[in-house]
Amino acid sequence: MSSPWTLLTRPAREPIRRWVLGAFPRGGGGHVDYDHPPGDPGLFGADSATWRVHADFPGMLAGGLAALMLQTLHPLALAGVWDHSNFRDDLVGRLRRTTSFVSGTTYAPVDQAQMLIERVKHIHAQVKGVGEDGRPYAADDPDLLTWVHVTEAYSFLQGYRRYSHITLPAGAADRYYDEVRRVAEALGAREVPRSEAQITAYFRRMRPELHFTARSREVLDVLYRVRLPVPVAGLSRDVFLQAGAALLPPWADALLERTPLQRAQSRLAARALWSVAPVFRMALHDGIASHACARVGVPAQTLLHWR
């Protein structure tokens, strides 16, 4: 017999499923086969912390938005986006490409994950320029790659902690950081933090290099106006954006000049997203992570538990 919660949320699940698969197509539009070859564990495998953290859609989307906010604080990383992307007209496309890369390197078979990494390395090699302060930048600069990776890994893990309804066991954060650094290193990053303590120390070292500029403000303005379809009444674009902002560390809140009112709005949005997060899990029972689990012969429910 279905539980009252299951019956109550049933009308919302199919609209959510259609929205997620429409906004973020499985396989990035059909480029990745998550079902074959059978038994291929990909870069991490079903026992990994990475498969568990990245299976939580609300945490990953909120975390991805938080990472974008953090990344606007690095002038050279921001210069590459400013000069070489059409973020003003297609920010959703940028989000989709990032989502596809993270999903592919997490859950795709080994050969396909490595192909995704090589494709991104080829793109990075063409992104070069000069920042506002006259310093040269390159997207394949190991230090910039480390910055982008750390902001994403930190934000994804914080999203999981905040919205997954699953307690992160002792040592799991260190496991996660140690696993995902391998993708960053394959892209060319160096001295990538591999533990929670190292992540904290890295942010402390980086803070003198971070600045909130007019460019930062413009990118955030575009982000806060981005058009995302709304799957159910009450679950708006602003909820995900503010729930993402709720994941920011206090020093970033201050650097981004977020007001007390904005912080209060983020706390409310975080509670709202936490409340509806289980509906997403039920709606996305056949998502990418489930396909990867089937490929290696383990139940998708495996990812709801830690060993």
Side-chain angles (χ1 to χ4, degrees):
M1 180 180 294
S2 299
S3 68
W5 171 254
T6 300
L7 293 173
L8 182 65
T9 60
R10 182 176 294 163
R13 294 202 298 270
E14 186 54 31
I16 287 176
R17 183 180 181 278
R18 288 198 303 269
W19 170 68
V20 172
L21 296 181
F24 304 99
R26 182 179 295 136
H31 302 300
V32 178
D33 181 359
Y34 290 96
D35 299 309
H36 304 95
D40 190 313
L43 299 180
F44 301 104
D47 288 335
S48 67
T50 304
W51 274 34
R52 284 158 178 76
V53 172
H54 292 184
D56 184 64
F57 179 82
M60 288 296 285
L61 182 53
L65 294 169
L68 286 176
M69 296 175 199
L70 284 171
Q71 288 164 15
T72 65
L73 295 173
H74 195 301
L76 294 185
L78 183 59
V81 173
W82 189 272
D83 295 338
H84 294 272
S85 78
N86 59 342
F87 71 91
R88 296 174 186 83
D89 303 315
D90 189 27
L91 188 57
V92 172
R94 178 177 172 81
L95 289 171
R96 283 174 173 159
R97 290 187 290 274
T98 299
T99 301
S100 296
F101 179 77
V102 173
S103 298
T105 52
T106 302
Y107 296 112
V110 172
D111 287 348
Q112 294 185 62
Q114 291 174 338
M115 285 176 59
L116 289 170
I117 290 170
E118 291 304 316
R119 183 185 304 161
V120 169
K121 287 174 67 176
H122 176 73
I123 294 170
H124 282 171
Q126 303 171 59
V127 177
K128 302 179 187 296
V130 178
E132 283 189 288
D133 60 3
R135 287 184 295 163
Y137 68 81
D140 56 6
D141 180 300
D143 292 334
L144 289 184
L145 289 168
T146 299
W147 166 252
V148 171
H149 165 77
V150 170
T151 55
E152 290 181 351
Y154 170 85
S155 299
F156 292 154
L157 186 61
Q158 293 303 104
Y160 182 87
R161 279 176 158 150
R162 194 74 174 260
Y163 304 120
S164 73
H165 291 235
I166 300 173
T167 301
L168 197 69
D174 288 352
R175 277 179 57 194
Y176 174 71
Y177 286 130
D178 192 41
E179 289 170 5
V180 293
R181 70 178 172 84
R182 300 200 303 261
V183 175
E185 290 170 349
L187 288 170
R190 66 184 176 199
E191 299 180 7
V192 181
R194 62 174 63 193
S195 70
E196 196 152 36
Q198 290 183 10
I199 291 285
T200 300
Y202 173 82
F203 277 137
R204 188 180 302 117
R205 291 196 307 272
M206 289 297 296
R207 283 170 64 177
E209 299 183 34
L210 307 179
H211 304 282
F212 186 54
T213 66
R215 284 185 173 184
S216 307
R217 193 180 301 278
E218 181 169 339
V219 172
L220 289 179
D221 286 345
V222 173
L223 179 61
Y224 275 84
R225 294 196 308 269
V226 66
R227 291 185 177 275
L228 289 175
V230 179
V232 292
L235 186 60
S236 71
R237 168 196 63 192
D238 291 343
V239 168
F240 268 109
L241 287 167
Q242 292 291 353
L247 305 176
L248 294 169
W251 59 262
D253 252 348
L255 200 53
L256 288 165
E257 301 177 4
R258 285 173 46 78
T259 66
L261 175 59
Q262 288 174 318
R263 297 179 191 188
Q265 290 171 334
S266 289
R267 290 192 293 271
L268 290 172
R271 286 198 288 269
L273 183 57
W274 185 89
S275 297
V276 300
V279 186
F280 277 86
R281 181 173 294 119
M282 288 186 286
L284 299 174
H285 59 87
D286 63 342
I288 288 171
S290 297
H291 281 249
C293 284
R295 189 182 73 239
V296 298
V298 300
Q301 293 293 107
T302 299
L303 302 187
L304 301 181
H305 308 283
W306 290 82
R307 296 183 180 180

